[in-house]
Amino acid sequence: MNRLPRAALLLSIALAAACTRAPGVPPAIADSRYLYLWTAAADSTQPDFLAVLDVQPGTDRYGTLVASVSVPGRRNGPHHTEHEMPADGRLFANGFRSGQTFMFDATTPASPRLDGSFGGIAGMMHPHSFLRLPNGNLLATFQMAHDSSGTRPGGLAELTPTGTLVRSVSADVPTVDARIRPYSAAIVPALDRIVTTTTDMVSDAPARTVQVWRLSDLTLLHSFDLPDGPAGTEGTLTAEPRLLADGRTVLVSTFSCGLFLIDSLASTKPSARLVASFPTRAGADCAIPVVTGNHYLVTVPAWSAVVSLDISDPSHPREVSRVSLDSADIPHWIALEPNGKRVVITGYGALEHRVMIATFDASTGRLALDTRFRAPDSDKPGFVTSARTWPHGGTGAGVPHGAVFSRR
C-alpha cells in the first residue's frame, strides 16, 4: 500500500481538523507578536511617542523593545488609543493635553509610522475616545466646543480611517446640562443606538449623565442620570460603556467604582440600575473595563488589582478571579489580546513607569500575572519604561497610557 509523504500527511490531518470544527467555532487565533504603548515623555522637553515591544511568548525576545515613533510637539499628554488594534492597522491615539490626535499606520507591525494628525473638527475640541463603526469608519467623542461664551459641551463625529469628517453632531442642546462632556461610547448596531458617558476630563464636575443617540442619524434621543447606590457616589463620574456578547445589553462603569446595567435601551425611557460596586481609593479611579464573552474585566485601584466578573447574568455579576499587584500600583488601563489570552495593564503610582501583562483563561475567567514578562536582569515582572534610550532618539522615562496588542 502506498504511504503519503510526511508533509502531505500532516497537511491532510490539518485539513481534516479544519473541516470537522464545530459550526460557529472560529479557528484559533495566534498570539500577538507586538504590543504598542502610547507614551508620554516624562521630560517635557522631549517628544511623546509610540513604543513597540516584542511580546511573542516562548522566545528570548519576549518583552524587549523593538521600535519607537515620536510625534510632533511637546507635552501632548498621551491618553487614550483605540481599545484594540483595528483590522486596517491604523491606530488613533489622542494627546488630550494638546487636543491633537495622531494616526499611526501599523500595517507593518514591527515598524509603525506616523501618518497624520488633527485637532479640532466641526468646531469641537479635545477628542477623547475612538470606536470603530460597522462600516469601518470611526466614531469619536469630543469633550468640548469653544465659542464666545466660553467652553461648551462637545459632541460626536464620524471620521474616515484617514481622519476626514463624514458627519458630526453637538451635545450642546437646551435640554442638556452645559457641564457635560462626551467621554466614551458603546455602539449598539442591533438597536440602532449609541450610548455615551459624560465625565469632564478637566474639571471635577460630578457627571452622572448617560446619553443615548440613534446610530443611523446621530440624533440625541435621551439623557438620564445614574442613580445613587448605598455610598451615594457610585453613579458619579460616568466612565466606560461596554456592549455585552448578546449585542443588545450595555453595562456602564463609573470612575466612582459603580457598575450599572442599562434597562430598556431601545425604548422611549431607558434607565439604569446599580448591579455591582467596588471600594474606592483616594486619588485613584476605577477605570478601563474589557468585555470578553461572559466575563467583564475591570481595574480596581483600592485592591491594586484587575478583577474578573462572570456576567452571564448581567444583573448579578459575580467575581471569579483577580490578579493583585503591589500595593503601591494603581492599575488604570487594560486591553485584551485579540485571541483573548493576555491582558496588558498600565497605570499610576508605582505602575507609572512599568507595564504588566496578565494571562486570562476564557473558560473560567481566571487571571494570573505573567511572571515571564520581565527584563532578563530584573527580579520583578513587567517592562520598565524609566531610564531608557528610545529608538527614536529620546532618553529618560516614559509614561505609557493607552496600550494595544497587534493583530496576527
Side-chain angles (χ1 to χ4, degrees), residues 242-261:
R242 290 291 183 269
L243 181 64
L244 304 194
D246 66 357
R248 306 173 73 87
T249 304
V250 173
L251 286 171
V252 176
S253 68
T254 69
F255 290 118
S256 300
C257 299
L259 183 60
F260 292 80
L261 176 65

Side-chain angles (χ1 to χ4, degrees), residues 8-381:
L9 179 62
L10 292 175
L11 177 60
S12 66
I13 292 172
L15 289 172
C19 292
T20 58
R21 185 181 296 118
V25 176
I29 301 174
D31 296 320
S32 294
R33 176 68 186 271
Y34 300 105
L35 177 66
Y36 302 98
L37 307 175
W38 178 220
T39 306
D43 179 352
S44 62
T45 67
Q46 298 197 35
D48 305 313
F49 56 94
L50 186 75
V52 186
L53 307 186
D54 190 322
V55 292
Q56 186 171 21
T59 71
D60 58 5
R61 292 185 55 79
Y62 189 46
T64 58
L65 179 63
V66 174
S68 60
V69 185
S70 62
V71 299
R74 300 292 185 270
R75 301 184 68 196
N76 285 290
H79 192 55
H80 280 209
T81 62
E82 296 178 69
H83 291 276
E84 59 185 30
M85 178 60 71
D88 64 6
R90 291 184 59 83
L91 183 69
F92 280 54
N94 89 55
F96 193 81
R97 181 189 296 271
S98 67
Q100 292 294 305
T101 292
F102 300 93
M103 298 173 288
F104 294 97
D105 182 342
T107 51
T108 303
S111 54
R113 63 184 182 87
L114 181 64
D115 192 28
S117 65
F118 61 86
I121 287 181
M124 300 184 297
M125 315 296 287
H126 293 280
H128 185 272
S129 294
F130 305 100
L131 301 99
R132 294 287 166 152
L133 292 160
N135 63 6
N137 286 342
L138 290 92
L139 179 77
T141 61
F142 284 77
Q143 282 255 290
M144 61 195 74
H146 293 289
D147 59 20
S148 59
S149 63
T151 301
R152 302 288 298 180
L156 308 179
E158 179 179 348
L159 309 175
T160 69
T162 58
T164 301
L165 176 66
V166 177
R167 55 180 177 158
S168 65
V169 63
S170 174
D172 189 8
V173 297
T175 57
V176 168
D177 187 330
R179 296 173 298 175
I180 72 160
R181 302 288 180 263
Y183 181 83
S184 189
I187 299 168
V188 192
L191 300 180
D192 193 25
R193 294 293 186 267
I194 300 168
V195 177
T196 59
T197 51
T198 57
T199 288
D200 189 338
M201 280 279 293
V202 178
S203 78
D204 295 324
R208 289 179 173 271
T209 304
V210 170
Q211 296 186 299
V212 179
W213 311 70
R214 191 160 49 226
L215 171 60
S216 53
D217 61 7
L218 296 187
T219 296
L220 178 60
L221 300 174
H222 312 287
S223 296
F224 62 92
D225 287 353
L226 297 183
D228 286 327
T233 58
E234 293 94 337
T236 60
L237 302 176
T238 58
E240 296 285 347
R242 290 291 183 269
L243 181 64
L244 304 194
D246 66 357
R248 306 173 73 87
T249 304
V250 173
L251 286 171
V252 176
S253 68
T254 69
F255 290 118
S256 300
C257 299
L259 183 60
F260 292 80
L261 176 65
I262 304 297
D263 288 320
S264 305
L265 179 55
S267 75
T268 58
K269 196 172 182 179
S271 60
R273 53 193 162 110
L274 182 69
V275 294
S277 62
F278 304 98
T280 57
R281 177 174 180 168
D285 303 318
C286 290
I288 307 301
V290 164
V291 169
T292 173
N294 285 325
H295 293 99
Y296 182 96
L297 314 180
V298 65
T299 59
V300 181
W303 294 336
S304 295
V306 178
V307 175
S308 173
L309 303 176
D310 183 324
I311 53 168
S312 50
D313 176 2
S315 61
H316 296 92
R318 60 182 182 86
E319 183 179 342
V320 292
S321 180
R322 73 176 72 168
V323 58
S324 297
L325 309 176
D326 291 344
S327 60
D329 293 333
I330 302 175
H332 180 84
W333 173 283
I334 57 174
L336 187 70
E337 186 177 16
N339 65 10
K341 293 182 179 180
R342 291 179 291 177
V343 178
V344 59
I345 308 166
T346 69
Y348 303 115
L351 203 58
E352 185 175 46
H353 302 299
R354 185 182 295 271
V355 179
M356 311 291 279
I357 286 180
T359 59
F360 178 69
D361 185 331
S363 62
T364 64
R366 183 177 181 274
L367 290 160
L369 194 63
D370 184 352
T371 57
R372 303 165 302 162
F373 183 66
R374 68 172 73 204
D377 57 349
S378 175
D379 61 351
K380 294 182 65 176

